[in-house]
Amino acid sequence: MTENREGWTGTEAALTRFQRAILDRRAQGRDRPQDCGGVTKTWSSRNMFTAGSGTPPRMTDASLSIAIENPDTPETRAMLEASDAYMAERYPPANNYMLDVSALQGRDITFLVARKDGAAIGCGAIVRKAGYAEIKRMWVAPEARGLKLGRRLLDELEAVARAEAIPALMLEAGDEQPEAMGLYAAAGFTRRGAFGDYPEGPPSVFMEKRLG
């Protein structure tokens, strides 16, 4: 299973100097490695903010924010490990299809982190594929549930896809997660057959939302 779980308005934050430097290098055709949390990583412009929109992800206020971040930090690793443990309690290893930290740093992935008062409390990602993007690594910390954070993360990921004119979002989740099924249905996702390399059948549930 992928670990899929739980609008976003307000003023947009200005690009940081670091983000502008990345974009300047991108415009000159020369992405250079940056030191991100002790890991040297080459970031493209889509890793830094909503690609194609010219603006960073949005936030509601100073206490609650969603932004694109490096997945390889102590806080994000702790969230991913908690997600892994949650899924391991519910599904056998053969049915868990989670991306690890290394994979989440791929150039075709945007990884979002939600923070409240500076603390990381949720995350989610999209993986760009031919003709669609896949929702991956959705997670909301237990203490943050009830804030509708899962829906906020999902809306931000959809905004990234729409900004790039990606025609559809797809996801794979587990049949023992009714709360996730409710979240995705409320956001406009409908059930479909298996896609990509996933095998058909339980415990997987496949869903799709057309954006075009």
mmCIF file of all heavy atoms in Angstrom, residues 39 70-84 100-102 105 111 137:
data_model
loop_
_atom_site.group_PDB
_atom_site.id
_atom_site.type_symbol
_atom_site.label_atom_id
_atom_site.label_comp_id
_atom_site.label_asym_id
_atom_site.label_seq_id
_atom_site.Cartn_x
_atom_site.Cartn_y
_atom_site.Cartn_z
ATOM 1 N N VAL A 39 23.047 16.511 2.941
ATOM 2 C CA VAL A 39 23.069 15.680 1.746
ATOM 3 C C VAL A 39 23.252 16.576 0.538
ATOM 4 O O VAL A 39 22.509 17.532 0.352
ATOM 5 C CB VAL A 39 21.752 14.881 1.595
ATOM 6 C CG1 VAL A 39 21.745 14.118 0.283
ATOM 7 C CG2 VAL A 39 21.594 13.923 2.761
ATOM 8 N N ASN A 70 13.212 19.464 1.367
ATOM 9 C CA ASN A 70 14.070 18.308 1.184
ATOM 10 C C ASN A 70 13.535 17.148 2.039
ATOM 11 O O ASN A 70 13.331 17.312 3.248
ATOM 12 C CB ASN A 70 15.490 18.682 1.625
ATOM 13 C CG ASN A 70 16.460 17.521 1.595
ATOM 14 O OD1 ASN A 70 16.192 16.489 0.994
ATOM 15 N ND2 ASN A 70 17.587 17.699 2.252
ATOM 16 N N PRO A 71 13.279 15.972 1.462
ATOM 17 C CA PRO A 71 12.781 14.855 2.271
ATOM 18 C C PRO A 71 13.809 14.234 3.205
ATOM 19 O O PRO A 71 13.445 13.449 4.076
ATOM 20 C CB PRO A 71 12.319 13.839 1.217
ATOM 21 C CG PRO A 71 13.145 14.140 0.011
ATOM 22 C CD PRO A 71 13.337 15.633 0.022
ATOM 23 N N ASP A 72 15.076 14.570 3.033
ATOM 24 C CA ASP A 72 16.122 13.943 3.834
ATOM 25 C C ASP A 72 16.576 14.867 4.960
ATOM 26 O O ASP A 72 17.663 15.424 4.944
ATOM 27 C CB ASP A 72 17.307 13.556 2.947
ATOM 28 C CG ASP A 72 18.302 12.661 3.677
ATOM 29 O OD1 ASP A 72 17.979 12.195 4.790
ATOM 30 O OD2 ASP A 72 19.397 12.433 3.143
ATOM 31 N N THR A 73 15.715 15.048 5.949
ATOM 32 C CA THR A 73 16.052 15.777 7.175
ATOM 33 C C THR A 73 15.575 14.925 8.350
ATOM 34 O O THR A 73 14.734 14.039 8.174
ATOM 35 C CB THR A 73 15.361 17.157 7.227
ATOM 36 O OG1 THR A 73 13.950 16.962 7.401
ATOM 37 C CG2 THR A 73 15.622 17.970 5.963
ATOM 38 N N PRO A 74 16.073 15.170 9.550
ATOM 39 C CA PRO A 74 15.621 14.368 10.691
ATOM 40 C C PRO A 74 14.112 14.397 10.889
ATOM 41 O O PRO A 74 13.496 13.362 11.170
ATOM 42 C CB PRO A 74 16.365 15.013 11.874
ATOM 43 C CG PRO A 74 17.619 15.563 11.270
ATOM 44 C CD PRO A 74 17.206 16.070 9.914
ATOM 45 N N GLU A 75 13.492 15.569 10.731
ATOM 46 C CA GLU A 75 12.044 15.661 10.931
ATOM 47 C C GLU A 75 11.262 14.888 9.877
ATOM 48 O O GLU A 75 10.313 14.170 10.197
ATOM 49 C CB GLU A 75 11.606 17.126 10.909
ATOM 50 C CG GLU A 75 11.839 17.875 12.200
ATOM 51 C CD GLU A 75 11.239 19.259 12.134
ATOM 52 O OE1 GLU A 75 11.694 20.058 11.296
ATOM 53 O OE2 GLU A 75 10.302 19.531 12.905
ATOM 54 N N THR A 76 11.651 15.041 8.612
ATOM 55 C CA THR A 76 10.909 14.340 7.570
ATOM 56 C C THR A 76 11.164 12.844 7.635
ATOM 57 O O THR A 76 10.244 12.040 7.417
ATOM 58 C CB THR A 76 11.272 14.888 6.172
ATOM 59 O OG1 THR A 76 12.689 14.869 5.990
ATOM 60 C CG2 THR A 76 10.777 16.314 6.018
ATOM 61 N N ARG A 77 12.373 12.441 7.957
ATOM 62 C CA ARG A 77 12.646 11.007 8.122
ATOM 63 C C ARG A 77 11.787 10.415 9.245
ATOM 64 O O ARG A 77 11.289 9.293 9.129
ATOM 65 C CB ARG A 77 14.130 10.778 8.415
ATOM 66 C CG ARG A 77 15.007 10.768 7.163
ATOM 67 C CD ARG A 77 16.437 10.403 7.515
ATOM 68 N NE ARG A 77 17.266 10.242 6.326
ATOM 69 C CZ ARG A 77 17.363 9.111 5.641
ATOM 70 N NH1 ARG A 77 16.696 8.038 6.032
ATOM 71 N NH2 ARG A 77 18.140 9.046 4.565
ATOM 72 N N ALA A 78 11.618 11.153 10.329
ATOM 73 C CA ALA A 78 10.800 10.662 11.441
ATOM 74 C C ALA A 78 9.354 10.462 10.997
ATOM 75 O O ALA A 78 8.713 9.466 11.367
ATOM 76 C CB ALA A 78 10.874 11.632 12.612
ATOM 77 N N MET A 79 8.828 11.391 10.190
ATOM 78 C CA MET A 79 7.460 11.228 9.695
ATOM 79 C C MET A 79 7.348 10.016 8.775
ATOM 80 O O MET A 79 6.394 9.227 8.865
ATOM 81 C CB MET A 79 7.018 12.485 8.941
ATOM 82 C CG MET A 79 6.663 13.648 9.818
ATOM 83 S SD MET A 79 5.753 14.943 8.915
ATOM 84 C CE MET A 79 6.984 15.449 7.712
ATOM 85 N N LEU A 80 8.306 9.852 7.877
ATOM 86 C CA LEU A 80 8.269 8.726 6.949
ATOM 87 C C LEU A 80 8.386 7.400 7.697
ATOM 88 O O LEU A 80 7.723 6.410 7.340
ATOM 89 C CB LEU A 80 9.379 8.870 5.912
ATOM 90 C CG LEU A 80 9.255 10.092 4.989
ATOM 91 C CD1 LEU A 80 10.491 10.200 4.101
ATOM 92 C CD2 LEU A 80 7.996 10.024 4.140
ATOM 93 N N GLU A 81 9.209 7.360 8.740
ATOM 94 C CA GLU A 81 9.344 6.135 9.530
ATOM 95 C C GLU A 81 8.050 5.821 10.277
ATOM 96 O O GLU A 81 7.653 4.653 10.389
ATOM 97 C CB GLU A 81 10.514 6.275 10.504
ATOM 98 C CG GLU A 81 11.872 6.245 9.805
ATOM 99 C CD GLU A 81 13.009 6.645 10.722
ATOM 100 O OE1 GLU A 81 12.754 6.913 11.926
ATOM 101 O OE2 GLU A 81 14.162 6.714 10.240
ATOM 102 N N ALA A 82 7.365 6.853 10.775
ATOM 103 C CA ALA A 82 6.078 6.637 11.442
ATOM 104 C C ALA A 82 5.053 6.109 10.443
ATOM 105 O O ALA A 82 4.257 5.206 10.764
ATOM 106 C CB ALA A 82 5.591 7.945 12.063
ATOM 107 N N SER A 83 5.078 6.642 9.242
ATOM 108 C CA SER A 83 4.177 6.165 8.184
ATOM 109 C C SER A 83 4.476 4.711 7.835
ATOM 110 O O SER A 83 3.565 3.892 7.689
ATOM 111 C CB SER A 83 4.329 7.054 6.947
ATOM 112 O OG SER A 83 3.628 6.537 5.855
ATOM 113 N N ASP A 84 5.752 4.384 7.705
ATOM 114 C CA ASP A 84 6.148 3.004 7.402
ATOM 115 C C ASP A 84 5.632 2.045 8.473
ATOM 116 O O ASP A 84 5.125 0.951 8.163
ATOM 117 C CB ASP A 84 7.672 2.900 7.312
ATOM 118 C CG ASP A 84 8.251 3.603 6.090
ATOM 119 O OD1 ASP A 84 7.469 3.966 5.186
ATOM 120 O OD2 ASP A 84 9.483 3.782 6.052
ATOM 121 N N ASP A 100 11.207 5.403 -0.684
ATOM 122 C CA ASP A 100 12.117 5.757 0.402
ATOM 123 C C ASP A 100 12.670 7.162 0.177
ATOM 124 O O ASP A 100 12.357 7.833 -0.817
ATOM 125 C CB ASP A 100 13.232 4.722 0.543
ATOM 126 C CG ASP A 100 14.107 4.613 -0.697
ATOM 127 O OD1 ASP A 100 14.106 5.527 -1.553
ATOM 128 O OD2 ASP A 100 14.820 3.589 -0.828
ATOM 129 N N VAL A 101 13.500 7.622 1.113
ATOM 130 C CA VAL A 101 14.018 8.991 1.062
ATOM 131 C C VAL A 101 14.796 9.238 -0.221
ATOM 132 O O VAL A 101 14.659 10.283 -0.860
ATOM 133 C CB VAL A 101 14.902 9.273 2.296
ATOM 134 C CG1 VAL A 101 15.663 10.579 2.127
ATOM 135 C CG2 VAL A 101 14.041 9.328 3.555
ATOM 136 N N SER A 102 15.612 8.280 -0.615
ATOM 137 C CA SER A 102 16.399 8.446 -1.832
ATOM 138 C C SER A 102 15.499 8.637 -3.047
ATOM 139 O O SER A 102 15.716 9.536 -3.870
ATOM 140 C CB SER A 102 17.312 7.228 -2.034
ATOM 141 O OG SER A 102 18.038 7.346 -3.235
ATOM 142 N N GLN A 105 13.835 12.054 -3.557
ATOM 143 C CA GLN A 105 14.674 13.154 -4.013
ATOM 144 C C GLN A 105 14.818 13.183 -5.535
ATOM 145 O O GLN A 105 15.582 13.975 -6.071
ATOM 146 C CB GLN A 105 16.057 13.071 -3.355
ATOM 147 C CG GLN A 105 15.995 13.270 -1.851
ATOM 148 C CD GLN A 105 17.375 13.228 -1.220
ATOM 149 O OE1 GLN A 105 18.042 14.251 -1.097
ATOM 150 N NE2 GLN A 105 17.794 12.057 -0.820
ATOM 151 N N PHE A 111 7.945 17.082 -3.141
ATOM 152 C CA PHE A 111 7.674 16.617 -1.783
ATOM 153 C C PHE A 111 7.299 17.821 -0.921
ATOM 154 O O PHE A 111 8.072 18.777 -0.791
ATOM 155 C CB PHE A 111 8.915 15.924 -1.219
ATOM 156 C CG PHE A 111 8.736 15.345 0.164
ATOM 157 C CD1 PHE A 111 8.053 14.155 0.353
ATOM 158 C CD2 PHE A 111 9.270 15.992 1.271
ATOM 159 C CE1 PHE A 111 7.885 13.618 1.615
ATOM 160 C CE2 PHE A 111 9.114 15.465 2.539
ATOM 161 C CZ PHE A 111 8.424 14.279 2.718
ATOM 162 N N ARG A 137 3.105 9.097 -0.444
ATOM 163 C CA ARG A 137 3.632 9.504 0.858
ATOM 164 C C ARG A 137 2.769 10.505 1.615
ATOM 165 O O ARG A 137 3.272 11.378 2.328
ATOM 166 C CB ARG A 137 5.042 10.053 0.687
ATOM 167 C CG ARG A 137 6.116 8.975 0.610
ATOM 168 C CD ARG A 137 6.056 8.102 1.837
ATOM 169 N NE ARG A 137 7.244 7.295 2.015
ATOM 170 C CZ ARG A 137 7.439 6.472 3.029
ATOM 171 N NH1 ARG A 137 6.516 6.342 3.961
ATOM 172 N NH2 ARG A 137 8.526 5.754 3.133
#
